[in-house]
Amino acid sequence: MGAKGWFVLKLLMFQGLFVSRPQEDFDFFYLVLQWPGAYCDTTRACCYPTSGKPAADFGIHGLWPNYKGGSWPSNCDPDSQFDRSQISDLVSSLKKNWPTLSCPSNEGFKFWEHEWEKHGTCSESVMDQHEYFENALKLKGKANLLQTLTNSGINPDDGFYDLKEITNAIEGGIGFTPGIECNKDPERNYQLHQIYICVDTSGTEFIECPVLPRGRCPSKLQFSKF
């Protein structure tokens, strides 16, 4: 091959490397949904958002890219800052389904900004900022966790339920095994705190979890009132 041929070949290789769409640099997402009663029923501070007390329902904590080995990327693009104008049509739904419980009381934009900059920027190979929040909202509705649990007789009534019952109920509803995370109230009771559901790299479909988080839950746990 002559010098001209090598030049053309190198040019094509360069174009192939730098023009093609980047591949996902993660293996799956965790959709993390938290129970507000457990979040607030601890020694940490809990403040309702400026819009008022959220509904007694699971709220979104985040949509987190993860690796199969158990680690995760974070803060992947410092230049991709949160832009509330990109999600203006989603704000009312975010306030309802992704409410903040941090203090001092606020609208929620700081929470959403944190989630985008820490986790959302690591999924930019597959979705932009609007799609990130929109997909999380759609997934939360698709999971319909509270309805799934109450349909199985598991209610947020301060009662204690078998961990296996909770896991089986959610698995029956979404078709896949969830991760369950607990925390403790001031009386040292273990409470149902967060549910982890695995999602494919498109951010749209539930999948079986490649790895489950260590939830440290006992065989019986409390489903607190809110």
Side-chain angles (χ1 to χ4, degrees), residues 23-97:
Q23 294 296 307
E24 302 88 6
D25 51 359
F26 59 96
D27 299 319
F28 67 100
F29 288 98
Y30 280 133
L31 172 69
V32 186
L33 301 170
Q34 66 179 358
W35 180 248
Y39 181 95
C40 291
D41 193 15
T42 60
T43 54
R44 84 177 85 184
C46 166
C47 293
Y48 298 154
T50 52
S51 55
K53 182 180 179 179
D57 192 7
F58 286 91
I60 299 169
H61 185 169
L63 185 62
W64 302 346
N66 269 258
Y67 299 125
K68 290 179 180 177
S71 62
W72 57 88
S74 64
N75 301 99
C76 295
D77 186 1
D79 295 326
S80 182
Q81 297 185 357
F82 177 74
D83 179 1
R84 64 176 66 186
S85 69
Q86 291 191 33
I87 59 166
S88 57
D89 61 314
L90 302 175
V91 169
S92 61
S93 185
L94 288 169
K95 286 181 177 180
K96 178 182 177 182
N97 296 288

Side-chain angles (χ1 to χ4, degrees), residues 16-24 123-127 131:
L17 284 170
F18 293 97
V19 177
S20 62
R21 180 183 175 85
Q23 294 296 307
E24 302 88 6
S123 64
E124 287 182 298
S125 59
V126 292
M127 62 183 81
E131 290 168 331

Side-chain angles (χ1 to χ4, degrees), residues 136-151:
L137 289 167
K138 288 179 178 177
L139 289 165
K140 190 254 183 181
K142 185 177 179 180
N144 199 17
L145 279 187
L146 184 59
Q147 188 67 56
T148 295
L149 290 172
T150 56
N151 285 348

Side-chain angles (χ1 to χ4, degrees), residues 73-171:
S74 64
N75 301 99
C76 295
D77 186 1
D79 295 326
S80 182
Q81 297 185 357
F82 177 74
D83 179 1
R84 64 176 66 186
S85 69
Q86 291 191 33
I87 59 166
S88 57
D89 61 314
L90 302 175
V91 169
S92 61
S93 185
L94 288 169
K95 286 181 177 180
K96 178 182 177 182
N97 296 288
W98 199 327
T100 179
L101 292 168
S102 63
C103 297
S105 180
N106 63 92
E107 290 183 278
F109 288 103
K110 287 183 179 179
F111 185 20
W112 307 329
E113 178 180 15
H114 169 78
E115 290 300 309
W116 167 253
E117 293 182 354
K118 182 175 181 179
H119 301 287
T121 56
C122 300
S123 64
E124 287 182 298
S125 59
V126 292
M127 62 183 81
D128 60 26
Q129 193 170 142
H130 185 275
E131 290 168 331
Y132 174 77
F133 288 99
E134 184 177 43
N135 284 348
L137 289 167
K138 288 179 178 177
L139 289 165
K140 190 254 183 181
K142 185 177 179 180
N144 199 17
L145 279 187
L146 184 59
Q147 188 67 56
T148 295
L149 290 172
T150 56
N151 285 348
S152 296
I154 301 167
N155 302 291
D157 55 7
D158 280 347
F160 286 80
Y161 297 91
D162 288 342
L163 174 62
K164 190 172 182 180
E165 283 183 61
I166 294 170
T167 302
N168 289 345
I170 296 172
E171 185 173 357

Side-chain angles (χ1 to χ4, degrees), residues 7 53 56 74 90 95 98 114 143 175-176 182-183 193 207 212:
F7 175 79
K53 182 180 179 179
S74 64
L90 302 175
K95 286 181 177 180
W98 199 327
H114 169 78
F176 300 100
C182 297
N183 65 4
H193 179 213
I207 59 171
L212 288 170

